[in-house]
Amino acid sequence: MSRPLAVYSDIVGTDPAPGVAALEAAGWEVRVAGSENPATIAAVAPDAQALLIGYSPVGVEMLDALPALRIVATQSVGTDMVDLAACAARGISVSNVPASATEEVAVHALAMALSLVRGLPQFDRSTRAGEWNPGAADALARPSALTVGVLGLGRIGRRFAGLAAPIFGEVVGYDPADFAVPGLERLGLEAVLRRADVLSLHLPLLPETSRLLDAQRLALLPAGARIVNVARGALIDKAALLDALDSGRLAGAALDVLEVEPPDPGDALLRHPRVLASPHVAFLSPQSEIDYVVHQAENVIAVGSSGSPLSPVFAPAAA
């Protein structure tokens, strides 16, 4: 009997070896295409039953090129690169890895928030430039006098809120889904925006959340507010964010994600003195790199053994 076939598309800075080992131990044949191109992937593994991706887009062209496909397994929490409707129409499961880097991303967001509140990016640049200027940052704040707003109360948002609560004066949160979060005051979206001196984004990118923070909603934030985004760049309208930073209405923005990655070196956000940026690394640690690839592989293995992934975003049996 032939073994089921799994193929990796793009490799995004992680070593697939632990995932490959887990798949092979479970009886899968594994091939690595190392490409986002559907034709290339189909040439490497035309009969693949599992497609394991980093950030490569999976649309109709990819699905048509792999007619035996049973699962698309992402190596991320977000699945905005996958055409979920097209997968559902074909009965193809889609899985993510929601718990592989909860601590890393939440801590990165907190570090960014505190860096903005204490003016560290401006002080670092000023001091390295040979200045000794206590006024290099526009405004400093006492964290216990500030309110933190959390948009998105999944695993990472809740962990961030828990980390922030002992440091900041209060933490309030919003999530479009209706579920209880013990110890956290839940409000509507606009109410959170009106109270958030520091706003941290932890929402998935969906049609309804794309450019959620437009000029109108950014204007609801208190003057001098700060924004942290470790989720998806397209949650914020870039032009509106630049306007708010240029005017000084926002004291700062800390961005681990951008709408276009990698960005143009001349990107106005990267050059802005009120912006702290990192290259989409909030999720990284030696432990998370292993967890991502192993959990991704375990979703594939579960489809082979039970018909459904361990962490389904969509599974035919649950449709």
Side-chain angles (χ1 to χ4, degrees):
M1 181 183 294
S2 62
R3 295 182 294 166
L5 176 61
V7 60
Y8 283 84
S9 59
D10 57 324
I11 304 298
V12 289
T14 54
D15 181 359
V20 171
L23 285 162
E24 290 180 340
W28 286 75
E29 179 184 351
V30 183
R31 300 175 189 172
V32 178
S35 171
E36 297 184 3
N37 185 280
T40 301
I41 295 169
V44 169
D47 298 324
Q49 295 182 34
L51 175 64
L52 297 92
I53 68 170
Y55 291 109
S56 60
V58 179
V60 172
E61 183 182 2
M62 181 80 81
L63 300 176
D64 286 346
L66 301 172
L69 204 60
R70 296 179 61 195
I71 180 173
V72 175
T74 74
Q75 198 183 103
S76 59
V77 178
T79 56
D80 45 283
M81 72 291 285
V82 180
D83 187 332
L84 298 178
C87 289
R90 290 164 171 77
I92 298 170
S93 293
V94 179
S95 65
N96 65 351
V97 285
S100 295
T102 300
E103 179 178 348
E104 288 85 350
V105 179
V107 168
H108 198 93
L110 180 64
M112 283 185 140
L114 291 173
S115 293
L116 291 181
V117 167
R118 297 304 304 160
L120 296 187
Q122 294 93 331
F123 286 133
D124 177 71
R125 287 192 291 266
S126 172
T127 305
R128 289 175 184 271
E131 302 174 7
W132 196 257
N133 180 12
D138 291 338
L140 302 183
R142 177 179 289 180
S144 62
L146 303 179
T147 295
V148 171
V150 186
L151 300 189
L153 299 173
R155 287 178 176 86
I156 296 170
R158 294 196 303 272
R159 185 65 178 273
F160 170 80
L163 293 170
I167 301 171
F168 290 90
E170 64 176 344
V171 181
V172 297
Y174 162 78
D175 194 285
D178 184 17
F179 55 87
V181 181
L184 179 68
E185 183 180 3
R186 289 195 55 164
L187 301 170
L189 173 59
E190 292 190 356
V192 169
L193 295 178
R194 288 191 172 94
R195 286 174 59 177
D197 301 300
V198 177
L199 185 70
S200 192
L201 277 59
H202 302 281
L203 289 164
L205 180 59
L206 303 167
E208 56 268 30
T209 61
S210 179
R211 293 173 180 77
L212 180 74
L213 294 186
D214 55 14
Q216 183 177 1
R217 289 197 174 106
L218 288 174
L220 297 176
L221 290 163
R226 299 152 175 94
I227 291 177
V228 175
N229 189 4
V230 294
R232 286 291 187 265
L235 294 173
I236 307 175
D237 183 293
K238 179 180 176 180
L241 177 60
L242 280 167
D243 286 346
L245 290 167
D246 285 340
S247 70
R249 177 164 180 78
L250 288 181
L255 310 172
D256 184 58
V257 289
L258 297 168
E259 188 164 0
V260 177
E261 297 179 356
D264 185 292
D267 190 299
L269 277 176
L270 298 185
R271 300 169 62 186
H272 203 287
R274 291 192 174 98
V275 170
L276 169 64
S278 57
H280 204 148
V281 293
F283 65 94
L284 278 179
S285 73
Q287 295 84 358
S288 70
E289 288 186 86
I290 294 172
D291 288 347
Y292 269 114
V293 296
V294 170
H295 294 169
Q296 180 186 35
E298 287 173 343
N299 276 313
V300 172
I301 293 166
V303 164
S305 60
S306 70
S308 182
L310 298 178
S311 52
V313 176
F314 169 81

